[in-house]
Amino acid sequence: MPRDIPIERVRNIGVIAHIDAGKTTVTERILYFTGRTYKMGEVHHGTAAMDFMDQERERGITITAAATTVPWADHRINIIDTPGHVDFTVEVERSLRVLDGGVVVFDAVAGVEPQSETVWRQADRYRVPRLCFVNKMDRVGADYWRTMEMMRGRLGATPVPVQIPIGSEDTFAGIIDLITRRAWYFSGDRDQPPTEGDIPADLVDDTERWRETMIERIGEHDDQVMVSYIEGHALGEDEIRKAIRRTTLANALTPVFCGSALKNVGVRLLLDGIVDYLPAPEDVPPVTGTRPDGTEVERSASDDEPLTALAFKIVADPYVGRLAYVRMYSGVLHAGMAVRNSTRERKERVGRILRMHADHREEITEAYAGGIVAVIGLKDTFTGDTITAASDPVLLEEIAFPAPVLSVAIEAKTKGDQEKMAEALHRLSEEDPTFRAVFDEETGQTRISGMGELHLEVIVDRMTREFGVACAVGRPQVAYRETIRRPSESETRFVRQTGGRGQFAHVKLRVEPRAAGSGFAFESTVKGGNVPAEYVPAVEKGVRQALDNGPVGGYPVVDVKVTLVDGSHHPVDSSDLAFATAGSMAFKEAARKARPVILEPIMKMEIVTPDDFFGDLLADLNVRRGNVSSVEARGNTQIMRAELPLAEAFGYTTTLRSLSQGRATSSMEFSHYAETPENVAAIAVSA
């Protein structure tokens, strides 16, 4: 069966932003104006179609990325609405990995906020072309031009306004299109399309000045426009649109739109911008993979190429079972088709193929290159796995996820809940790569780890509601790490004689500290065959096992380099097990002599507070070992940027509300690991 819409008319986009910037409200308006829904949902009423989880509707925030498909101007737009809270940044990470373009939403009052920077950097990493929508232009304090300046200063972006607002705050009346030199006015009736009219007389000069600026900035990155500009040729509307598209796809410029999604202003024009300026699957570079023999191969977005797809999200659906969301990079996927999981080298069979609309499903028989669909039947497929044709396996680059920074102990309240809890933890860890569950043999406790307090709170809530598990939760625990501060060496002989063949291994290791965040490295400089090459991987395996249990407090060891310097072997008694054991023992001894220290996670914070409470909040940060890096005045509010140890951040939101009468707000995200002061380290060791 041929595809129902050409690939050049497909758009795969994500809506990304800081929490409360209005992402879900923008998406709800898109659903309504494209005819996908017939009733407009509201986040604050808990009726948003894209926020379908109970936890999302109760809290008024997006927790999990939701996918939908809408038609607009003879195009098909696949949309993923992503969370804005830092605890759920994994949803943004894996969504951007498979999307072709992005719509970044900014609050016109707050401008560029901390999580805005985070998602922007994530989009930079995957080279995702994007356009910006400055939302909430009708709110008190809205400032389109300040937001644009913050994009330049904080994000290092090159924003180009393709629209300018008519008024702001309570005088916001419409939008001027700089390309057509026409104004669009909006009525209070959500079903009424915008009315096209002349530009207000007092804004004609501003329109011409900003139109000239727009063309200049495009010309700086586009030779065709530059030549026309220098020679004084007037550019037509289509020429400008094509130039904006070229520079956007090259990630040289970012077109900026404005409006108020809550008041239904500017969303239709934003949809036109998505179609005009964001890439089709065939506009992005071919995806690169590796064959089993190690050779690289490219797969372009074509139905005629062999099947290549990436599973980017696993969901336990209560009605249809285990769903795998996949992005189709090339080829065609049929229901009932036999495929290969190249990551795990397993054969799989596709059961059913679904086109998703949040938690609603539409069954289809085929999925084509460039599409995003959900598949039932892939039992051994997990987030980041590559799905290919059985006859032509290729392995795509996997998705990298951050490590959890916070843990809590959890235990079932009854024996009957224990079995249900094990199943629930297994299913939830399949869905979320940043969630871990580990049983501690020493304490007999199960520890769950995640990206923050809200993340773990939602996990526990889901266990209770979705899986019927009654459980008790302990105090949060910080995910400490250990490292070393100076080089050292250690020599270990492992000898066991138990009658018959024994065990013998002799290794000499050197350990050295590495730069923060650089991870673990291992090399061998053994010469003369003292340690045969076949035993070197066993030594590395033993060292890696020892990394899990540091010499100070038993926390994982990071940022070290281990070198196998020398050793010896026995022609009969040596084995992989003996060298792994010797490697582990030698590393533990060397680490104890290398001035080991405990590292604690440091959070990056932004606190927005009225002037009246600034002193109290600053004093509280000092008590919590916080370090204020900058303070910025914005109207009658102060914006503090600070770094705070995670151990001191528990319950901070409650304290903030108490000290500021509920008027201050804060946001927090993981920044880096730093050495823990001795008094705090002593507590961490005894914990």
Side-chain angles (χ1 to χ4, degrees), residues 55-103:
Q55 293 87 349
E56 293 177 314
R57 291 180 169 170
E58 288 170 6
R59 289 172 169 82
I61 62 170
T62 301
I63 290 171
T64 183
T68 189
T69 301
V70 299
W72 186 258
D74 295 326
H75 286 66
R76 173 178 291 152
I77 305 175
N78 296 317
I79 301 173
I80 296 182
D81 176 35
T82 64
H85 196 286
V86 66
D87 282 15
F88 310 105
T89 189
V90 59
E91 297 285 350
V92 184
E93 186 78 27
R94 60 182 168 191
S95 299
L96 286 172
R97 170 69 171 80
V98 299
L99 292 171
D100 301 325
V103 175

Side-chain angles (χ1 to χ4, degrees), residues 94-344:
R94 60 182 168 191
S95 299
L96 286 172
R97 170 69 171 80
V98 299
L99 292 171
D100 301 325
V103 175
V104 188
V105 181
F106 295 96
D107 182 333
V109 180
V112 176
E113 297 174 273
Q115 189 65 5
S116 308
E117 295 183 53
T118 302
V119 297
W120 191 272
R121 306 290 175 230
Q122 288 172 307
D124 280 343
R125 186 160 59 250
Y126 293 113
R127 295 195 56 76
V128 175
R130 68 217 80 148
L131 52 82
C132 298
F133 182 70
V134 180
N135 192 25
K136 305 187 181 183
M137 283 299 304
D138 58 319
R139 281 188 57 205
V140 175
D143 192 328
Y144 182 66
W145 307 110
R146 187 193 67 229
T147 303
M148 199 101 59
E149 200 56 45
M150 292 175 77
M151 289 182 209
R152 272 188 285 272
R154 289 203 192 176
L155 305 177
T158 309
V160 173
V162 294
Q163 299 174 344
I164 62 173
I166 301 174
S168 65
E169 302 181 350
D170 57 348
T171 63
F172 180 56
I175 293 163
I176 296 171
D177 187 326
L178 295 178
I179 298 172
T180 61
R181 293 187 175 100
R182 298 292 290 168
W184 294 92
Y185 299 94
F186 300 87
S187 69
D189 186 347
R190 66 178 58 179
D191 296 316
Q192 282 295 111
T195 305
E196 186 179 0
D198 294 330
I199 297 169
D202 60 330
L203 291 176
V204 170
D205 290 343
D206 283 349
T207 300
E208 290 304 314
R209 179 166 54 84
W210 280 106
R211 191 176 194 273
E212 190 79 5
T213 300
M214 175 185 72
I215 294 171
E216 277 181 30
R217 288 186 184 161
I218 297 168
E220 289 170 4
H221 301 275
D222 189 90
D223 292 341
Q224 294 181 39
V225 172
M226 178 57 76
V227 170
S228 298
Y229 184 77
I230 291 173
E231 295 180 355
H233 296 159
L235 288 166
E237 293 174 13
D238 284 344
E239 287 180 280
I240 295 174
R241 288 194 186 95
K242 288 176 181 176
I244 293 174
R245 181 176 179 80
R246 288 193 298 270
T247 51
T248 302
L249 299 191
N251 274 302
L253 298 177
T254 307
V256 183
F257 296 72
C258 62
S260 170
L262 189 64
K263 299 289 180 64
N264 313 319
V265 176
V267 178
R268 289 183 178 90
L269 300 180
L270 176 65
L271 278 163
D272 290 338
I274 290 169
V275 166
D276 289 342
Y277 306 132
L278 290 182
E282 62 180 7
D283 293 323
V284 298
V287 67
T288 303
T290 308
R291 294 189 188 277
D293 62 5
T295 58
E296 280 198 355
V297 62
E298 288 187 345
R299 291 278 194 261
S300 56
S302 167
D303 299 339
D304 300 326
E305 295 250 358
L307 169 67
T308 308
L310 185 75
F312 67 94
K313 183 178 171 73
I314 303 296
V315 173
D317 190 289
Y319 300 104
V320 296
R322 193 172 187 273
L323 284 177
Y325 282 75
V326 300
R327 161 66 198 265
M328 297 285 297
Y329 284 106
S330 65
V332 181
L333 186 69
H334 305 276
M337 180 178 179
V339 296
R340 182 180 180 84
N341 182 326
S342 299
T343 306
R344 303 180 190 277

Side-chain angles (χ1 to χ4, degrees), residues 393 526 561-562 595 618:
V526 176
K561 178 182 179 181
V562 178
R595 198 165 78 80
L618 185 60

Side-chain angles (χ1 to χ4, degrees), residues 433-455:
T434 60
F435 170 67
R436 311 263 170 85
V438 178
F439 180 73
D440 191 325
E441 297 280 357
E442 293 182 9
T443 63
Q445 286 183 318
T446 298
R447 282 202 320 274
I448 59 173
S449 305
M451 300 305 295
E453 289 182 275
L454 181 59
H455 186 197

Side-chain angles (χ1 to χ4, degrees), residues 516-678:
S518 55
F520 169 70
F522 180 89
E523 71 171 343
S524 171
T525 59
V526 176
K527 295 193 170 51
N530 289 349
V531 178
E534 63 264 28
Y535 293 136
V536 172
V539 177
E540 180 179 356
K541 180 181 177 183
V543 171
R544 286 185 180 275
Q545 289 172 344
L547 288 173
D548 293 336
N549 198 349
V552 183
Y555 299 108
V557 181
V558 297
D559 302 332
V560 295
K561 178 182 179 181
V562 178
T563 305
L564 176 58
V565 178
D566 201 358
S568 61
H569 72 289
H570 189 279
V572 176
D573 290 350
S574 288
S575 65
D576 283 349
L577 176 61
F579 273 98
T581 305
S584 177
M585 293 167 62
F587 175 78
K588 289 178 180 178
E589 183 184 340
R592 279 193 293 269
K593 298 188 296 185
R595 198 165 78 80
V597 295
I598 290 183
L599 305 175
E600 63 180 341
I602 304 296
M603 310 303 286
K604 184 168 64 175
M605 298 187 68
E606 182 169 287
I607 303 158
V608 181
T609 176
D611 292 334
D612 298 349
F613 311 109
F614 176 79
D616 291 340
L617 295 183
L618 185 60
D620 180 65
L621 279 176
N622 289 332
V623 170
R624 293 173 181 264
R625 297 192 288 126
N627 177 32
V628 177
S629 56
S630 68
V631 178
E632 176 188 335
R634 188 184 295 168
N636 60 353
T637 62
Q638 298 287 336
I639 300 167
M640 280 191 284
R641 295 183 186 88
E643 291 183 344
L644 184 69
L646 178 60
E648 307 290 345
F650 298 139
Y652 181 74
T653 304
T654 304
T655 303
L656 182 73
R657 289 173 183 156
S658 174
L659 292 175
S660 66
Q661 299 173 13
R663 294 171 61 194
T665 60
S666 70
S667 58
M668 187 183 330
E669 63 179 302
F670 172 72
S671 175
H672 64 280
Y673 272 90
E675 187 170 338
T676 309
E678 288 186 14

